[in-house]
Every structure is written in structure tokens, then in C-alpha cells.
Amino acid sequence: MSEGLNLAENDNGGSEAKTASTGKLPPPKRRRWMRLALLLILLMAVLLGYGPAMDRVNQRRVEAYRKDCKTATAAGDWKTLEAVANRWLELEPDNNDALLFGAEACIQLDQLERAVDLLGRVDDSYHGALQALAGRGDILFSDLNLPLEAEKNWKRMLSINERAGVAHQRLIYFYAMTLQRRKMVRQIKMAMKYGCEPPEAYSYLLMQNVLNFSDGFTLLTRWRSKYPDNEILEVAHAVYSAKKTADNGMATFGIQTVIPGDKTPLENALRKYPSNPELLALKIDLAIFEGDQAAVADLLARASTEAEQDSRFWRYRGWLLKERNKFEASAKSFEHAIEITPFEWQSRWLLADVYRHLNQPEKADKQSKIASVGKELQEKLFERPTARDVDAELIDMIYRYLLMIDAQDVLEALQRRR
């Protein structure tokens, strides 16, 4: 041991340590690993103190961004707001406040696609989620002409809060405009369940089988440019095209709803979708006006199973049976039509005539009276500038009509509104 010690001292002046077993120095590679381990230990110690410090720095930056965003918003300085919000989002990509500030800047700068993206990234649990998504839906629907994406957006709102009145209102309107009657009725009933149905819901419900909009053709033309192969939009566009008058208005009553417009889109759509109920209903209405029983029978035979839940097709069947003097079967068809859609006065009018043939005057008088009120109510509703424009007098008339037809679920909803 002493000899080894002396050798080390003589060769290296005692400047390097020996290994415990041999008295030799560790090889160079091993010394490098030892230094690296030491550096890692030192780095970890630094980082443990650095993390909270960085959090504090980031927090100060976030508060500065928030303050600057508020200042820019108040001043209407949208370029500055955009720049600050973008820097904030680089630091916190999922910060809901930053997303809203960024979206506001994009809306003001007419960068609507970017605004839609930012608003769509807001978390569902965020306190401003419904307001953000309501704005997003309006941009998608009205500015970008993307109603199908808007529909998904409104459904997302309802998944957050099923009492979101804006979402119900927009969905009801979209389904009415695109002639998706069953979806529209379901949405109205859902809104009534939660007490958040819009005023126009009652107009749409009463007129569900004669839905018509003066701007329907224009809107569907825009939407079809975005979705050229969508059946729902193509069918609605064809129907509005057939109903468009020479002065670019929209026929709203009687047989004039099927005569004045261009029927070419209707025929083209029928070739693509031969069993579509909306297309067939329009053709059947015209065939009934012309008294063409064979055409009505042929068109009824082409209807899909979906038509079995459509009161119009039971009315058409009742008409055909009535023309063939099969009054008992005709009455059952009209009665089933009324069971499906009690608000429809047309079936009641025809049923009253069938009851007279069956020598049932009391039933005939009852249905005739209800039909007269329903027809008058429909005329008054069509006279209004919009479906939402319903005054107290008209509400009272709707209420009396609902009493006549014993529509208890709708009556209860309307009573809460009166």
C-alpha cells in the first residue's frame, strides 16, 4: 500500500484520486459519465426551483395579455386585439378567454372562417360557451352559408344545456325552412318540454303541412352551392322553385302554391329521389287539383315508408277513396291523418263531407266548424310579415283552436306563455 501511494505522489503530485481497489485512476470514458451525472443532478435542482418561477412569469404575462385585450376591445383597435390574442394563444392555446378575444378580433376584421375555428375550440364547461357557440352558429348559418355545420353547432349547445333557447329557435327555423317537418315538430315539442319554445313555434306547428317562406328559394339556392349533392336541400330548393311566382314572391295559399313556378328542378329531383315525400306531395296536390285519380294512385304507390307517418298522404288516400265512393275507408284515412296531425284543417274539411255521405250529420258539423276556424287561422298567419309576428288577438285565436281540437300538450305550453 505504501509503495502504491508513493508511486502516485511521485507521478502526479497527488493531484488525482486513485481507485480504492487498485490505486489506479478511472478510465477517461468513466470520468465523463461521472461528470454528466453530476451535471444532471445540478440541472434537476435548478429546474425544481425554476418551474414555480416560470409559472409566476407566465401568470404575469397572461394578466398583461388580458389587460391589453380589454383595452384594445374598448378602443375598437381590432388589429392590436388580434395580435395580443394571438400571442396569448401561443402561450395558452386552450385558454377560453383568449379564444373569445381572438374570435372577436377576427369577426371585426371579417376573418369569419378563423372566428368560427376559434369559437369552436371553446370548452363546453366554459361559462361563456353557449354565447360563443350561439355567435358561431349565426356566422355559419347566415354569413358562410353552411347550415349543416350550424345544425351540428346548435345540437352541441343543447348537449351543454337542453334549455338553450337560441339553439331550439335556430333548429326549428332551419327544419321549417328546409321542409324537414318531422324534425321541426320534434324540436318544437322538445322546446315546449323545457319551456323555451320561440313564439313562432306555434305558427310553424299549425302550418306544418303548408310550410312556405318568401325567401326560401333564395336561401336554398345559396346553400345548395355549398352542398350540391345534399338531398334535403335539393328537394327543398325544387319545391320552392315550383312555388315561386312571376314577381319572385312565394305562393302561400290554395292551389297557387303548386302552379306558378319552374317545375324543372322538381322533375329532375324526382328522377333522383322517386320516393321522396316532399316531391311526391307537391305532385299529388297538382294531380288532385286536376282530378287525376290515376296519377294520385300511382304517386301514392311510389311513396316510401316514411310517408306512413305523414298526415298528408293519409289525406291523399282519403281523397282517392272518397272519389271512388268508398266512404267508410275514406273516413278512416282522414281520421288517421287527423290523429297524426290534429292541427290540419284540410283533412277535417274533407272528412266532414264524407260523414255527410255516411249520414253522420253531427260528426260532419263538428269537423266542418273546426275546419272553418283552422282555415281562417291559416289565412291570418300567412298575412303576417313573419311567423314570429303574432299578436295577442291571434294568440287567443290559436288558443281557442287548440281547445277545439283538444291539443292538450300544446295548450299547456301556450298557457305558460299567456
Side-chain angles (χ1 to χ4, degrees):
M1 287 292 294
S2 60
E3 183 179 359
L5 177 59
N6 291 335
L7 285 172
E9 288 173 349
N10 292 336
D11 292 341
N12 298 292
S15 60
E16 295 204 42
K18 305 184 289 281
T19 61
S21 59
T22 64
K24 297 181 180 179
L25 295 172
K29 185 175 181 180
R30 185 176 176 189
R31 291 199 299 273
R32 285 197 299 271
W33 277 110
M34 291 170 65
R35 292 191 190 107
L36 179 59
L38 180 59
L39 286 173
L40 288 174
I41 292 170
L42 291 173
L43 180 60
M44 288 298 294
V46 171
L47 287 176
L48 287 172
Y50 184 69
M54 273 303 295
D55 286 343
R56 289 192 293 272
V57 170
N58 286 344
Q59 186 60 36
R60 287 196 293 270
R61 290 170 66 188
V62 166
E63 292 307 317
Y65 289 147
R66 190 186 309 278
K67 181 180 178 181
D68 290 345
C69 282
K70 290 179 178 179
T71 300
T73 301
D77 187 351
W78 310 119
K79 281 291 187 181
T80 297
L81 179 61
E82 179 188 30
V84 176
N86 284 341
R87 289 198 296 273
W88 188 353
L89 287 169
E90 287 176 4
L91 178 66
E92 295 186 318
D94 299 322
N95 186 289
N96 292 302
D97 290 339
L99 290 168
L100 285 190
F101 278 122
E104 176 66 18
C106 290
I107 291 170
Q108 298 296 337
L109 295 170
D110 203 29
Q111 300 171 11
L112 299 183
E113 290 86 355
R114 168 71 171 163
V116 163
D117 174 63
L118 292 174
L119 291 171
R121 286 162 53 188
V122 168
D123 192 83
D124 286 357
S125 62
Y126 179 54
H127 64 84
L130 289 179
Q131 292 82 351
L133 292 175
R136 183 175 185 266
D138 285 345
I139 295 172
L140 286 167
F141 191 75
S142 301
D143 297 292
L144 300 181
N145 293 308
L146 295 171
L148 301 186
E149 279 70 22
E151 179 188 13
K152 295 174 186 175
N153 180 86
W154 295 322
K155 287 182 176 181
R156 178 182 167 189
M157 290 176 66
L158 292 178
S159 72
I160 297 171
N161 184 348
E162 50 202 9
R163 288 178 168 82
V166 169
H168 283 295
Q169 191 273 336
R170 299 292 192 268
L171 285 169
I172 289 168
Y173 172 73
F174 173 59
Y175 293 145
M177 176 63 72
T178 50
L179 309 179
Q180 298 183 72
R181 303 168 198 274
R182 293 180 64 189
K183 282 188 176 182
M184 181 198 74
V185 171
R186 282 198 299 268
Q187 200 68 47
I188 290 173
K189 295 293 182 68
M190 188 185 304
M192 286 178 172
K193 174 183 176 182
Y194 296 115
C196 54
E197 76 279 7
E200 63 270 25
Y202 296 94
S203 299
Y204 293 151
L205 199 57
L206 292 171
M207 298 193 298
Q208 62 186 270
N209 282 346
V210 288
L211 289 171
N212 222 339
F213 294 85
S214 59
D215 57 345
F217 179 77
T218 301
L219 278 177
L220 267 297
T221 300
R222 289 180 197 161
W223 295 343
R224 281 212 65 214
S225 68
K226 300 287 186 176
Y227 312 93
D229 299 319
N230 182 274
E231 178 179 350
I232 291 170
L233 301 183
E234 184 174 354
V235 166
H237 180 263
V239 171
Y240 286 122
S241 176
K243 292 182 178 181
K244 189 164 66 71
T245 60
D247 60 355
N248 288 324
M250 191 61 59
T252 57
F253 208 83
I255 194 58
Q256 289 302 317
T257 59
V258 295
I259 283 182
D262 179 8
K263 296 183 183 61
T264 303
L266 176 66
E267 299 301 333
N268 291 338
L270 263 172
R271 281 191 284 273
K272 291 177 68 175
Y273 317 112
S275 61
N276 184 278
E278 291 304 319
L279 302 175
L280 291 175
L282 200 57
K283 293 283 287 184
I284 293 172
D285 279 333
L286 184 56
I288 287 176
F289 175 72
E290 295 173 344
D292 190 342
Q293 295 183 34
V296 172
D298 176 64
L299 291 165
L300 282 173
R302 291 164 56 181
S304 64
T305 55
E306 182 182 351
E308 294 178 7
Q309 302 302 317
D310 191 323
S311 62
R312 293 172 300 174
F313 285 82
W314 287 96
R315 170 163 39 95
Y316 301 148
R317 183 176 182 274
W319 177 88
L320 186 60
L321 291 167
K322 174 178 172 291
E323 292 300 301
R324 295 174 176 177
N325 296 323
K326 297 180 179 180
F327 298 117
E328 290 187 0
S330 176
K332 289 180 180 179
S333 288
F334 290 133
E335 288 165 353
H336 192 59
I338 293 168
E339 184 180 343
I340 295 173
T341 308
F343 317 101
E344 184 191 83
W345 63 267
Q346 293 90 337
S347 291
R348 295 180 184 276
W349 192 272
L350 293 166
L351 179 58
D353 188 47
V354 170
Y355 280 153
R356 292 188 187 97
H357 281 91
L358 293 172
N359 196 27
Q360 299 178 19
E362 291 184 3
K363 287 185 175 182
D365 289 344
K366 178 181 177 180
Q367 294 302 327
S368 181
K369 288 177 183 177
I370 295 174
S372 295
V373 175
K375 182 174 183 291
E376 181 185 2
L377 184 55
Q378 179 179 310
E379 290 171 339
K380 288 185 178 295
L381 287 170
F382 270 131
E383 289 170 359
R384 300 287 166 166
T386 68
R388 181 178 281 264
D389 187 19
V390 180
D391 57 22
E393 181 182 352
L394 196 50
I395 286 290
D396 285 341
M397 189 174 181
I398 292 173
Y399 186 79
R400 292 195 302 272
Y401 185 62
L402 294 175
L403 280 174
M404 293 179 74
I405 64 176
D406 195 29
Q408 287 299 321
D409 54 343
V410 184
L411 270 170
E412 290 174 5
L414 187 56
Q415 282 175 331
R416 293 194 299 266
R417 293 285 178 175
R418 297 182 77 197

